[in-house]
Amino acid sequence: MSALRKKFGDDYQVVTTSSSGSGFSQPVPEKKKKRQRFVDKNGRCNVQHGNLGGETSRYLSDLFTTLVDLKWRWNLFIFVLTYTVAWLFMASMWWVIAYIRGDLNRAHDDKYTPCVANVYNFPSAFLFFIETEATIGYGYRYITDKCPEGIILFLFQSILGSIVDAFLIGCMFIKMSQPKKRAETLMFSEHAAISMRDGKLTLMFRVGNLRNSHMVSAQIRCKLLKSRQTPEGEFLPLDQLELDVGFRTGADQLFLVSPLTICHVIDSRSPFYELSARSMQTEQFEIVVILEGIVETTGMTCQARTSYTEDEVLWGHRFFPVISLEEGFFKVDYSQFHGTFEVPTPPYSAKEQEEALLISSPLMAPSLSNSGEKDSSLDCLEKLEDAEVAAKLPAKLQKMTGREGLPRKLLRMSSTASEMTYSLGELPIKLQRISSVPGVSEEKGGSKVTKVSAEPISKSVADLPPKLQKLAGGGGGGRMDEHLPPKLRKMNSDRFT
Amino acid sequence: FLKWGCAFSPERRNKRKRQRYVEKNGRCNVQHGNMRETYRYLTDIFTTLVDLNWRCSLFVFVMAYAVTWLFFGAIWYLIAYCRGDLDHLEDETWTPCVDNVNGFISAFLFSIETETTIGYGYRVITDQCPVGTMLLLLQAILGSMVNAFMVGCMFVKISQPNKRAETLVFSRNAVISLRDDRLCLMFRVGDLRSSHIVGANMRAKLIKSKQTQEGEFIPLDQTDISLGFETGDDRLFLVSPLVISHEIDSRSAFWDMSQAQLEKEDFEIVVILEGMVEATGMTCQARSSYLAEEVLWGHRFSPMMSLAEGFFDVDYGAFHHTFEVDTPSCSARELSLAAARLDAHLYWSISSRLDEERWEGTNAFQGKIWGFCFPPPPISKEM
């Protein structure tokens, strides 16, 4: 176990749930040494199979796949080798027949009928063999009927020749039309970006199809590779977790014509629920993206892969739009495909944002805490032992609530009222705007928030956002614009006016 | 991006012809520009060749053969030239490399006869020429490889499954009407052949540009339209034309859309039918699209199937035909609210902000529609 850890320990930090709180006071660690990727950017996997022992015979039993899997140069080498060496061997058999029969000495004897006409030395035997094998059959050298052993060899050669020919040609064709080459014209963005979309923190990356022919039944999957240690002490190196990119709703079936931005919403079910801008610098993970689909022309399924390590995931960025409207068609500009620009994004994790939401509506606290389960409170309190959560709450919100003990009670509620927090997903961004715009609405923010909370809780949640939107829209919208590049700022102003 | 604003602002919609993302026949209006990594197309040479149109494909086919023939013909001529065969044409005692090769044309003919394995026999290689033997070997091998590749490409191009999509038809219009007291968006799909589509499944995407709360403008954002993914209703048994329906419920993008709003809306519905061609087992995909103006509110598809003597007769003349039925012009959300209010025995008029004047007799219209099309609901008995 410790040996495993030693192998992995240098490259992969074991992630535990308890120690992340201590990461704050330390300065950002120096540049980590270059880490080993599981999957390269182009989809090649860095795994070698070693120490197979007695299992190598399996590769020979499945000769066809072994041949097709070889690189091109080995394939051509085997191809040429088969043809020349086997041919040399078989040609020598014709020569041997001629030798035994004594044809070689009677080359220019007109009355003598040799086995094969005009074969009187090895080169001519070899030429005869090629002409027969490749079915060229010039006719100068031909087999006579005075030679039963020659006829048998002739039959044998024809049949064997056909079989070997079919096998090699088949391998060659399969190797040429491999659907995995189609993956070369499927492109992924170099970076993944995390920002807010519709009030929810979302991890996004982009995928594009460079050809005009389609990918039928295109489906996208996402896996998170992260080493971890279970509470029982089992170390799982490179444990794979599924990231939901639309499996439940069927949104993972893509209609891939122009580049699409694939979104993974970071909610309570996501492994990134507790990922914040700061914790991303200390964590180590790899996101492997798999796009599968059927090549339209051949009907064979192909798979394109890529991966994003934690330094290729950008917090607070958004992708440049690539599609524009031309005269009669839509134009995709691939020079912008990998481009991202920064947008103001709260550096807090999705979990903290939802907790901040609960804290800022204290009216919810007493009514909901009545339904609290005593047992789960202990679990929550254990989770709260790390000071990370409490320390991360914006100071303003803490002041507003006035109590630091409140978070714990609210978090206990949050475990029971997960439904409610999910539906209130719109609120956090508004409150962040309130708290992040100092001077403009600080006093207003405080009073408005308490005013909101004073309203009866039975009013539907959907009514809350419009009020807060009015509150934050004037100040927040204007400030956001400064961060956008000028092109989009102009576009935004067109939309808003 | 100013163009986006123009194209999608409601007032100017009628004046500017909207650009479709997908044509009615399934072709997509997207061009890929400014592509810097062109090496990718060469690495995947097979798909590049098969994707070419027929003219280019035949040109490549002819060129591949002609170039190899010419190349080897030139080498045979070179061998004859270097050996001095061409100077000893009339010499009986001289054994040339290849008999009866006396110029470039005969060398070229010899090369063709060897590579296509015809081998007439008038031009024969002699055994006094080791270089010739090796070249013969090389040409035989290369000939079979080129042959395999070209024949393979041609075969793949001929048997492309996406040609099957030509005989899969979609209706020209989509309709919205009531089905089982719920508003449904429907369109019709049909298979013109007798052979089946195995494992057919239907998908639909709504293409509509949107702006997120954070100010991000997403052009042509694709959202899924549920055609029965959860229940498995999207898997079709397509023998006769089917009407595919999308029930407009609270999760649907059309939940808040009333008839008046439909006239002002700007979206595109792309429908995708995928399945395996029964003969070859290769998956094909048929596509079509419906713009907002091709969606008819309050229509229904005419029936096409009738019972004949011993079989069911399908009349494709009525495939695109729709007829008008009485349908409430409110949105699905308002309809469900009205239904909820009726259940609670409360009567007040439904205020649709956009079309107040159509709502004079709320209950009257409901009674009218139900009396016209459906048996009276059980609620009325309680009332």
Side-chain angles (χ1 to χ4, degrees):
Chain A
M1 174 64 163
S2 59
L4 240 182
R5 277 270 217 101
K6 228 190 282 183
K7 257 196 201 173
F8 280 90
D10 290 336
D11 294 333
Y12 294 98
Q13 298 170 15
V14 173
V15 176
T16 57
T17 49
S18 57
S19 63
S20 44
S22 56
F24 271 105
S25 41
Q26 294 167 7
V28 177
E30 296 91 42
K31 183 149 176 15
K32 296 195 282 261
K33 73 174 188 196
K34 192 165 169 329
R35 49 106 95 219
Q36 176 60 47
R37 296 178 81 115
F38 193 60
V39 177
D40 284 338
K41 291 300 272 186
N42 63 359
R44 216 174 52 84
C45 299
N46 292 321
V47 176
Q48 281 189 10
H49 309 278
N51 213 0
L52 281 166
E55 303 284 328
T56 45
S57 60
R58 292 165 179 262
Y59 292 105
L60 288 175
S61 316
D62 186 17
L63 188 65
F64 184 71
T65 314
T66 309
L67 279 175
V68 173
D69 273 352
L70 290 172
K71 284 178 181 296
W72 262 111
R73 61 194 92 142
W74 293 111
N75 249 299
L76 284 172
F77 179 68
I78 289 177
F79 199 72
V80 171
L81 200 70
T82 315
Y83 272 69
T84 47
V85 167
W87 284 6
L88 268 172
F89 171 68
M90 305 246 316
S92 57
M93 291 181 65
W94 283 110
W95 183 84
V96 161
I97 289 178
Y99 181 75
I100 291 173
R101 270 176 118 253
D103 295 343
L104 300 175
N105 308 322
R106 284 177 242 181
H108 299 282
D109 195 343
D110 281 339
K111 289 191 211 60
Y112 179 74
T113 330
C115 193
V116 182
N118 288 314
V119 164
Y120 44 83
N121 53 12
F122 185 74
S124 49
F126 188 57
L127 277 172
F128 172 66
F129 178 81
I130 295 178
E131 286 161 23
T132 312
E133 183 77 20
T135 74
I136 300 175
Y138 288 117
Y140 182 64
R141 286 164 277 270
Y142 54 91
I143 189 167
T144 56
D145 49 356
K146 299 279 190 266
C147 181
E149 59 269 20
I151 294 173
I152 294 172
L153 186 62
F154 186 65
L155 276 173
F156 179 66
Q157 183 188 345
S158 299
I159 292 170
L160 189 71
S162 297
I163 294 173
V164 169
D165 226 14
F167 191 72
L168 282 171
I169 301 291
C171 276
M172 193 82 17
F173 177 66
I174 292 290
K175 212 163 153 49
M176 275 177 207
S177 67
Q178 279 185 91
K180 71 177 188 186
K181 289 293 170 195
R182 181 69 173 90
E184 297 284 329
T185 41
L186 293 169
M187 216 154 79
F188 292 93
S189 56
E190 267 167 28
H191 297 278
I194 297 183
S195 63
M196 303 290 284
R197 220 184 226 205
D198 292 328
K200 300 199 191 77
L201 201 62
T202 320
L203 168 76
M204 295 177 280
F205 56 90
R206 199 179 247 168
V207 63
N209 176 15
L210 300 175
R211 289 190 186 275
N212 285 325
S213 59
H214 294 259
M215 287 276 284
V216 177
S217 300
Q219 191 175 21
I220 190 127
R221 291 188 286 144
C222 222
K223 292 270 185 201
L224 175 68
L225 298 177
K226 199 166 166 178
S227 302
R228 68 184 184 101
Q229 181 144 29
T230 65
E232 293 81 20
E234 184 181 3
F235 178 66
L236 303 169
L238 297 180
D239 189 34
Q240 297 188 7
L241 299 163
E242 181 86 22
L243 288 175
D244 179 20
V245 280
F247 178 73
R248 249 166 266 266
T249 55
D252 60 343
Q253 312 267 7
L254 308 177
F255 179 54
L256 192 59
V257 173
S258 56
L260 292 178
T261 307
I262 312 294
C263 303
H264 163 71
V265 173
I266 301 179
D267 56 7
S268 54
R269 285 180 304 223
S270 160
F272 290 129
Y273 191 48
E274 289 158 24
L275 182 78
S276 66
R278 220 186 293 196
S279 70
M280 230 172 64
Q281 290 165 1
T282 52
E283 280 198 13
Q284 204 171 42
F285 55 81
E286 195 171 333
I287 301 170
V288 178
V289 176
I290 303 159
L291 170 66
E292 281 163 349
I294 300 176
V295 181
E296 194 180 34
T297 42
T298 55
M300 299 198 251
T301 310
C302 89
Q303 188 188 69
R305 300 173 293 269
T306 191
S307 89
Y308 300 102
T309 49
E310 68 281 353
D311 45 348
E312 288 157 4
V313 178
L314 308 169
W315 188 282
H317 279 237
R318 210 186 270 167
F319 284 106
F320 268 116
V322 283
I323 194 164
S324 60
L325 183 60
E326 298 282 330
E327 197 63 46
F329 57 91
F330 293 96
K331 189 151 155 56
V332 176
D333 184 9
Y334 279 98
S335 58
Q336 302 277 43
F337 187 79
H338 304 282
T340 62
F341 61 95
E342 213 164 330
V343 287
T345 309
Y348 311 111
S349 68
K351 186 171 179 185
E352 288 153 6
Q353 286 178 16
E354 288 183 9
E355 286 158 10
L357 153 75
L358 286 176
I359 285 161
S360 60
S361 8
L363 187 76
M364 303 231 226
S367 57
L368 286 171
S369 62
N370 291 334
S371 64
E373 292 144 24
K374 301 289 184 278
D375 298 333
S376 66
S377 68
L378 286 171
D379 299 338
C380 289
L381 285 172
E382 273 172 26
K383 270 196 229 164
L384 290 171
E385 285 310 316
D386 48 338
E388 179 186 10
V389 171
K392 278 220 162 154
L393 285 175
K396 295 185 189 74
L397 286 174
Q398 272 189 329
K399 267 188 264 169
M400 272 198 267
T401 60
R403 290 173 281 164
E404 293 194 15
L406 195 58
R408 309 215 168 158
K409 267 203 227 145
L410 288 169
L411 284 164
R412 181 181 50 189
M413 285 172 343
S414 75
S415 66
T416 59
S418 53
E419 285 268 355
M420 174 92 62
T421 55
Y422 198 72
S423 64
L424 295 176
E426 286 188 319
L427 282 173
I429 181 64
K430 308 299 187 303
L431 291 171
Q432 294 296 341
R433 278 200 205 147
I434 296 168
S435 59
S436 67
V437 177
V440 175
S441 53
E442 191 175 18
E443 303 82 23
K444 276 200 293 180
S447 59
K448 280 285 199 288
V449 166
T450 49
K451 188 175 160 206
V452 160
S453 59
E455 283 161 4
I457 196 162
S458 58
K459 202 158 187 166
S460 72
V461 170
D463 289 336
L464 278 173
K467 290 190 180 60
L468 292 171
Q469 201 171 17
K470 266 186 268 170
L471 173 73
R479 273 192 74 99
M480 290 256 296
D481 262 358
E482 286 161 24
H483 298 276
L484 292 172
K487 182 167 87 169
L488 289 172
R489 206 187 306 161
K490 186 167 192 304
M491 181 262 303
N492 260 349
S493 61
D494 285 338
R495 290 294 295 185
F496 283 136
T497 49
Chain B
F1 284 98
L2 277 173
K3 282 187 194 169
W4 290 111
C6 288
F8 297 123
S9 67
E11 310 83 28
R12 300 204 208 168
R13 193 171 68 95
N14 296 325
K15 292 181 196 157
R16 184 194 166 93
K17 187 173 164 333
R18 189 216 198 274
Q19 176 58 46
R20 297 182 81 117
Y21 193 53
V22 176
E23 296 288 337
K24 293 298 271 183
N25 62 0
R27 215 177 48 84
C28 298
N29 288 322
V30 176
Q31 284 191 12
H32 308 277
N34 219 351
M35 185 59 222
R36 287 198 212 123
E37 301 168 16
T38 45
Y39 69 88
R40 292 170 176 260
Y41 293 102
L42 289 174
T43 325
D44 185 19
I45 190 94
F46 183 72
T47 316
T48 309
L49 284 173
V50 175
D51 272 354
L52 293 171
N53 55 11
W54 267 107
R55 270 168 284 156
C56 292
S57 261
L58 284 172
F59 180 72
V60 168
F61 194 76
V62 168
M63 275 296 119
Y65 281 114
V67 162
T68 44
W69 292 338
L70 273 170
F71 176 69
F72 279 103
I75 298 187
W76 284 115
Y77 179 72
L78 209 66
I79 289 177
Y81 183 78
C82 293
R83 257 173 129 261
D85 296 342
L86 301 175
D87 306 321
H88 296 265
L89 286 176
E90 303 304 319
D91 196 344
E92 286 289 331
T93 53
W94 176 267
T95 331
C97 193
V98 184
D99 274 336
N100 290 311
V101 162
N102 40 27
F104 181 72
I105 302 286
S106 45
F108 181 55
L109 279 174
F110 178 66
S111 149
I112 295 179
E113 284 164 27
T114 309
E115 185 150 342
T116 57
T117 75
I118 299 175
Y120 288 116
Y122 182 64
R123 282 164 277 270
V124 195
I125 187 170
T126 59
D127 51 351
Q128 302 301 329
C129 184
V131 182
T133 311
M134 278 197 287
L135 188 64
L136 182 72
L137 254 182
L138 197 66
Q139 193 171 7
I141 295 172
L142 197 73
S144 65
M145 276 171 55
V146 170
N147 213 23
F149 191 64
M150 281 298 129
V151 169
C153 277
M154 201 55 43
F155 171 68
V156 167
K157 212 169 152 49
I158 290 172
S159 69
Q160 278 185 88
N162 57 0
K163 291 299 171 193
R164 180 69 173 89
E166 301 284 330
T167 41
L168 294 169
V169 285
F170 292 90
S171 58
R172 228 176 286 135
N173 295 98
V175 300
I176 296 182
S177 61
L178 278 176
R179 252 198 194 185
D180 295 327
D181 283 345
R182 281 195 251 272
L183 273 177
C184 290
L185 169 74
M186 296 176 277
F187 56 91
R188 187 134 69 176
V189 62
D191 181 7
L192 296 175
R193 290 190 186 274
S194 319
S195 61
H196 293 253
I197 293 280
V198 176
N201 73 320
M202 196 80 219
R203 292 189 284 144
K205 297 265 183 197
L206 177 70
I207 310 224
K208 193 171 168 176
S209 303
K210 76 166 201 168
Q211 179 135 29
T212 65
Q213 299 165 357
E214 293 81 20
E216 182 182 3
F217 179 67
I218 308 172
L220 300 178
D221 185 40
Q222 295 187 9
T223 46
D224 223 47
I225 297 177
S226 160
L227 297 175
F229 179 75
E230 285 107 28
T231 54
D233 282 334
D234 59 345
R235 293 177 299 194
L236 310 178
F237 178 54
L238 192 60
V239 173
S240 59
L242 292 177
V243 174
I244 315 292
S245 84
H246 159 68
E247 194 180 294
I248 301 178
D249 57 6
S250 55
R251 286 171 311 186
S252 162
F254 302 111
W255 182 237
D256 283 317
M257 201 174 69
S258 65
Q259 180 173 11
Q261 258 186 306
L262 176 63
E263 281 155 28
K264 296 184 202 144
E265 279 270 349
D266 200 1
F267 57 77
E268 193 170 340
I269 301 171
V270 177
V271 295
I272 302 159
L273 169 65
E274 281 163 356
M276 272 196 273
V277 180
E278 195 179 32
T280 56
M282 295 201 263
T283 310
C284 78
Q285 189 188 65
R287 299 172 293 272
S288 184
S289 93
Y290 299 100
L291 292 177
E293 54 228 19
E294 290 159 5
V295 178
L296 308 171
W297 188 284
H299 282 235
R300 208 187 275 168
F301 282 108
S302 315
M304 305 170 52
M305 210 153 73
S306 57
L307 184 59
E309 194 64 45
F311 58 92
F312 292 93
D313 187 36
V314 174
D315 173 24
Y316 274 96
F319 186 75
H320 301 283
H321 198 248
T322 63
F323 62 93
E324 208 161 336
V325 289
D326 267 342
T327 314
S329 54
C330 60
S331 69
R333 179 198 287 264
E334 287 157 359
L335 200 63
S336 71
L337 288 174
R341 287 195 182 111
L342 274 175
D343 281 338
H345 302 280
L346 293 168
Y347 296 90
W348 53 70
S349 60
I350 302 161
S351 61
S352 169
R353 283 159 289 171
L354 295 167
D355 38 16
E356 288 244 6
E357 54 278 2
R358 301 190 205 206
W359 282 95
E360 249 107 76
T362 318
N363 302 327
F365 105 85
Q366 279 163 345
K368 178 171 152 214
I369 203 183
W370 283 325
F372 188 76
C373 306
F374 308 89
I379 305 165
S380 57
K381 290 185 191 144
E382 291 165 22
M383 286 190 277

